[in-house]
Amino acid sequence: MLTIAAFAIAFFFAMNIGASGTAAAMGPAYGSGAVPNKRIAMLLVGVFAFLGALAGGEVVRTIGSGIIPADIVDVELVIIILASACLTLFIANLLGIPLSTSEVVVGAIVGAGIAYQALYFDKLLVIVSFWVIVPVVAFIVAYLAGHLVNKAEKKWPLLTGKGKWRKPLVILLIVCGCLEAFAAGMNNVANAVGPLVGAGLIDVRTAVLFGGAFVALGALLLGGKVLETNGKKITRLSLLQGSTVSITGGGLVIVASLFGLPVPLTQVTTGAIVGIGTAKNGFKLWQKGILKQIAKVWVVSPVFSLVMSYGLILLFRQADYYTFFVIFSVFLATIGSISLYIQVKTERRTTYDEGGGI
């Protein structure tokens, strides 16, 4: 029964990854009208996310046994790790805080490693470093490319998507979106099935096959709403700018995946979008709180799941009720403080707007 529960949670998690992560890959193409049919966009995402998952073996190995020793991972620990990740995402959704699935799963695994005092700190340090480095590189690349795109669109107005150049630009944007979906499947499938591999419940090849199938299924069945939201958010990007964002984010995530490094696709794509926006509108874009939002996701994602995983192990595996009570109380107080902060900030903003503020 525990094994069935572990697989059920993992595959359900994979479907949610497909819905929230990979479906957003086709956002630029759908939002700009390059792919006007939502079902076709979701189908493309599902197919290329599945193909990417088949190539995601290195990241699966890292999640499975590269952060904590495989000999301490059993069925119960897999359930705790995956349940911690899912519960963290659920709480974050209630608070309105967007989290990275890669960071949440790694945080849950680190929590288990701390509980058992068995953690490959050097490997963890490399992973965390790349959580910062890759989005920064995405920003720099997109910023430089954005200047070239702006100059090209001013010199040749047809590159903005008007006239005879629209069809080639549409095809380019769709191809780049498929590349980003491939990258998302390649990197993110490990978040769901990696712990199963670590426990020896399934081999890597079978894991990426089934994990990829459920990621694709999630994109097909549950990704429509995410695609709609993401598409509307990026409609201000031109076809060429959207292609630049997708190829920058997708390319960097694929390179990280080849080295077995789980990286947050959301932050990488955000870094590329901010880079494009900064090249077009200047650094005044940064005054909109984007950096605060990114920093919040970087810090909150792994810490929440780490505490959740550590606490559940204390409660169910080690029966250390006193320590669990202390950690759980601090955790609840932290969540309450964040919730109160968001509420107060929203109320102040509403009062300011009603008073005539801009």
Side-chain angles (χ1 to χ4, degrees):
M1 289 299 295
L2 288 176
T3 302
I4 293 173
F7 275 92
I9 295 173
F11 292 151
F12 177 72
F13 194 27
M15 289 184 67
N16 280 276
I17 289 172
S20 63
T22 59
M26 201 56 66
Y30 176 72
S32 64
V35 183
N37 190 305
K38 186 191 298 185
R39 292 189 179 275
I40 293 178
M42 292 163 62
L43 179 62
L44 287 172
V45 170
V47 169
F48 281 90
F50 175 74
L51 294 175
L54 297 181
E58 289 302 319
V59 187
V60 171
R61 292 184 182 91
T62 299
I63 294 292
S65 58
I67 301 174
I68 58 176
D71 56 6
I72 70 169
V73 182
D74 55 19
V75 179
E76 292 182 0
L77 191 60
V78 168
I79 293 175
I80 288 175
I81 289 172
L82 292 175
S84 299
C86 290
L87 192 57
T88 300
L89 290 172
F90 176 72
I91 293 173
N93 288 334
L94 291 180
L95 295 176
I97 303 173
L99 297 187
S100 160
T101 54
S102 296
E103 293 180 0
V104 164
V105 172
V106 171
I109 294 173
V110 171
I114 293 174
Y116 287 99
Q117 298 182 359
L119 187 65
Y120 296 142
F121 185 77
D122 53 343
K123 185 68 174 181
L124 177 63
L125 186 61
V126 172
I127 293 173
V128 174
S129 298
F130 273 81
W131 286 353
V132 179
I133 293 171
V134 178
V136 171
V137 172
F139 168 82
I140 295 172
V141 172
Y143 177 73
L144 296 175
H147 280 292
L148 296 177
V149 169
N150 292 337
K151 290 180 180 179
E153 289 181 341
K154 288 180 180 178
K155 189 173 182 179
W156 299 290
L158 289 176
L159 291 178
T160 58
K162 300 176 182 178
K164 63 180 181 179
W165 280 98
R166 177 169 176 79
K167 189 173 182 179
L169 290 171
V170 164
I171 294 174
L172 175 63
L173 182 58
I174 295 172
V175 170
C176 292
C178 292
L179 174 70
E180 192 171 0
F182 182 92
M186 188 176 182
N187 199 269
N188 287 346
V189 69
N191 299 330
V193 299
L196 297 177
V197 174
L201 300 177
I202 190 172
D203 62 88
V204 174
R205 289 186 178 181
T206 308
V208 296
L209 181 64
F210 281 95
F214 278 92
V215 167
L217 190 63
L220 288 169
L221 299 180
L222 307 174
K225 191 172 182 179
V226 179
L227 186 65
E228 187 77 30
T229 302
N230 195 67
K232 289 180 180 179
K233 286 183 178 179
I234 51 83
T235 49
R236 288 173 292 179
L237 294 179
S238 68
L239 294 174
L240 202 53
Q241 288 173 333
S243 299
T244 303
V245 168
S246 293
I247 198 169
T248 299
L252 289 172
V253 171
I254 287 174
V255 172
S257 301
L258 292 175
F259 289 95
L261 296 169
V263 292
L265 179 63
T266 303
Q267 279 92 310
V268 175
T269 303
T270 301
I273 291 174
V274 173
I276 286 285
T278 304
K280 184 177 181 180
N281 303 311
F283 285 88
K284 64 181 181 180
L285 178 70
W286 293 31
Q287 298 174 3
K288 296 182 179 181
I290 292 177
L291 293 182
K292 289 183 180 179
Q293 184 73 1
I294 295 174
K296 186 196 302 182
V297 174
W298 270 331
V299 175
V300 171
S301 296
V303 171
F304 261 44
S305 58
L306 187 157
V307 173
M308 188 74 68
S309 174
Y310 183 69
L312 291 177
I313 290 172
L314 289 178
L315 182 63
F316 294 109
R317 300 296 297 271
Q318 300 179 358
D320 189 348
Y321 302 112
Y322 175 76
T323 306
F324 171 79
F325 176 76
V326 173
I327 292 176
F328 189 68
S329 299
V330 174
F331 187 58
L332 284 180
T334 303
I335 293 176
S337 299
I338 294 174
S339 179
L340 181 62
Y341 171 75
I342 294 174
Q343 183 179 353
V344 170
K345 190 174 182 179
T346 302
E347 290 176 353
R348 286 181 177 176
R349 183 64 184 176
T350 302
T351 304
Y352 180 69
D353 291 340
E354 291 175 350
I358 298 175

